[in-house]
């Protein structure tokens, strides 16, 4: 059974890997694409320290893109936003065009004019996936209007930057499916075949996953943290406010501190500042520092029971499509 997602992206299976900051590199992304899905290089891909200049950021991403090309002849993707500085976005767009990246993930921000970049990508026959922080009928229709190929409906169950509205994945997906004609992917809390089947039953034509692929041999997450994923469930997760909305984490000293600050009435700005200067994810997930870092995963962590290869994980999730 083929979905429109596969036809549009040129992949074998309707599964896309989320661009988790710090957690991707060419080896991991190529493994996802070689397993039949779509791998995406995330911000700080392959790095242990953030680049200090825009030029360095672009150069390191260019190098990682070229490494992926050397490891797979399958499609892969890169997001348009690689840092908090939105002024770099046009330069990233030019980089993706120069490197002929097959698929672009557009991180949808309300109020940003995406038409010029969509026109440029279409002119170079590049496919686009539009994924807003918080999906709404309005931004789904906007994505369709400007020519995006695929829309991602992200529910509150996800890891990483959680949507602003507390609407679960399996409530938001059918709403987005009913709102647009372009194919919709479900994101948030999907980590086993039951979640995949539920997403498709609600009208999704693919799944967009992150946490379940962290617990793989090829992922660069710290081994001790992978073990924590296997031993944890959604009941263990700590939710706290920050910018732009919420984060959730497995228990770490920093996560408990952020939760305490939140409960004491601290502002979102001060909570964001307390996240170890924004490097809490790198310290916790990449370096395994459970004192100064946090471990961002979605509610699907409940269904992660072993550290497997990327191919084994994708084959399990996609068993109805193989």
């Amino acid at each position: 059974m083929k979905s429109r997602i596969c036809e549009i992206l040129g992949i074998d299976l309707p599964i896309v890997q989320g661009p988790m900051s710090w957690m991707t590199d060419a080896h991991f992304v190529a493994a996802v694409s070689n397993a039949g899905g779509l791998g995406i290089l995330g911000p700080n891909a392959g790095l242990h320290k953030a680049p200090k200049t825009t030029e360095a950021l672009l150069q390191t991403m260019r190098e990682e893109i070229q490494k992926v090309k050397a490891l797979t002849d399958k499609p892969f993707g890169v997001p348009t936003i690689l840092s908090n500085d939105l002024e770099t976005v046009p330069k990233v767009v030019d980089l993706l065009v120069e490197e002929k990246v097959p698929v672009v993930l557009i991180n949808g921000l309300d109020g940003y004019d995406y038409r010029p970049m969509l026109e440029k990508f279409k002119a170079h026959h590049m496919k686009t996936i539009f994924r807003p922080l918080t999906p709404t009928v309005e931004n789904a229709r906007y994505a369709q209007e400007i020519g995006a190929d695929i829309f991602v409906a992200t529910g509150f169950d996800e890891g990483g930057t959680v949507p602003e509205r507390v609407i679960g994945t399996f409530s938001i997906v059918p709403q987005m499916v009913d709102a647009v004609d372009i194919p919709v992917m479900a994101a948030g809390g999907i980590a086993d075949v039951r979640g995949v089947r539920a997403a498709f039953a609600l009208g999704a034509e693919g799944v967009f996953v992150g946490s379940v692929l962290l617990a793989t041999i090829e992922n660069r997450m710290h081994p001790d943290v992978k073990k924590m994923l296997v031993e944890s469930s959604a009941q263990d997760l700590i939710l706290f406010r920050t910018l732009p909305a919420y984060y959730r984490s497995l228990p770490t000293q920093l996560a408990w501190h952020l939760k305490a600050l939140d409960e004491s009435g601290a502002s979102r700005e001060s909570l964001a500042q307390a996240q170890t200067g924004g490097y809490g994810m790198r310290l916790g997930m990449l370096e395994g520092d459970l004192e100064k870092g946090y471990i961002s995963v979605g509610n699907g962590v409940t269904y992660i029971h072993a550290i497997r290869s990327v191919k084994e994980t994708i084959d399990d999730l996609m068993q109805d499509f193989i």
Side-chain angles (χ1 to χ4, degrees):
M1 181 169 65
K2 280 275 187 182
S3 79
R4 286 190 292 170
I5 300 290
C6 294
E7 293 170 4
I8 290 167
L9 301 180
I11 58 179
D12 296 326
L13 302 168
I15 183 168
V16 172
Q17 162 249 310
M20 303 162 284
S21 186
W22 298 106
M23 293 294 102
T24 69
D25 59 12
H27 173 65
F28 171 68
V29 166
V32 174
S33 292
N34 284 332
L38 184 86
I40 299 182
L41 285 171
N44 301 305
L47 302 178
H48 287 269
K49 290 185 178 179
K52 293 184 178 180
T53 65
T54 298
E55 291 70 26
L57 174 116
L58 296 172
Q59 183 58 31
T60 55
M61 181 53 76
R62 189 186 299 276
E63 290 169 0
E64 210 65 25
I65 288 169
Q66 292 170 357
K67 288 177 188 176
V68 175
K69 290 177 180 177
L71 293 169
T72 184
D73 59 358
K74 306 289 187 182
F76 67 96
V78 178
T80 52
I81 296 179
L82 298 177
S83 74
N84 294 326
D85 180 9
L86 294 183
E87 291 184 7
T88 66
V89 172
K91 295 179 181 179
V92 174
V93 168
D94 290 342
L95 167 66
L96 303 185
V97 170
E98 288 167 16
E99 289 295 329
K100 299 181 174 61
V101 172
V103 181
V104 177
L105 176 69
I106 297 174
N107 317 84
L109 300 174
D110 290 340
Y112 193 95
D113 183 10
Y114 289 95
R115 291 177 192 273
M117 73 168 68
L118 256 295
E119 290 171 4
K120 185 172 285 192
F121 292 143
K122 282 190 172 298
H124 290 86
H125 310 291
M126 298 160 72
K127 301 303 181 182
T128 53
I129 301 173
F130 195 93
R131 187 194 185 206
L133 169 65
T134 301
T136 65
V137 168
E138 291 75 20
N139 57 36
R141 288 176 176 163
Y142 170 76
Q144 177 169 283
E145 179 191 337
I146 63 174
D149 294 296
I150 296 165
F151 183 82
V152 179
T154 305
F156 198 75
D157 304 276
E158 81 143 353
T161 307
V162 181
E164 294 173 333
R165 297 184 183 178
V166 188
I167 304 175
T169 301
F170 297 120
S171 294
I172 200 67
V173 166
Q175 186 182 17
M176 298 301 105
V177 168
D178 291 347
V180 293
D181 297 320
I182 59 174
V184 172
M185 303 194 82
I190 298 168
D192 69 3
V193 71
R194 293 173 296 178
V196 174
R197 288 168 178 164
F200 274 81
L202 293 170
E205 295 183 50
V207 292
F208 189 98
V209 300
S211 299
V212 69
L213 290 171
L214 289 172
T216 56
I217 295 164
E218 294 92 339
N219 190 266
R220 65 199 304 251
M221 177 182 269
H222 193 282
D224 292 346
V225 181
K226 289 182 186 180
K227 188 169 179 288
M228 284 182 71
L229 260 65
V230 171
E231 296 172 349
S232 301
S233 77
Q235 307 290 336
D236 301 309
L237 297 176
I238 299 166
L239 181 71
F240 52 87
R241 293 177 312 133
T242 184
L243 290 175
Y246 300 89
Y247 260 83
R248 55 167 58 89
S249 171
L250 287 173
T252 70
Q253 190 170 319
L254 176 62
W256 283 118
H257 174 61
L258 293 168
K259 180 176 174 61
L261 285 175
D262 187 3
E263 292 176 345
S264 71
S267 67
R268 291 185 186 274
E269 289 77 13
S270 59
L271 277 155
Q273 236 176 5
Q275 286 177 240
T276 322
Y279 293 117
M281 189 181 295
R282 172 177 67 82
L283 292 171
M285 300 175 76
L286 190 60
E287 298 184 14
D289 187 336
L290 303 186
E291 179 184 344
K292 297 177 182 176
Y294 60 90
I295 301 164
S296 174
V297 292
N299 287 333
V301 69
T302 301
Y303 315 112
I304 298 172
H305 302 303
I307 299 167
R308 302 179 289 181
S309 69
V310 163
K311 185 175 184 345
E312 287 173 315
T313 303
I314 288 178
D315 282 353
D316 189 17
L317 289 166
M318 294 281 104
Q319 57 189 264
D320 294 343
F321 299 89
I322 296 173

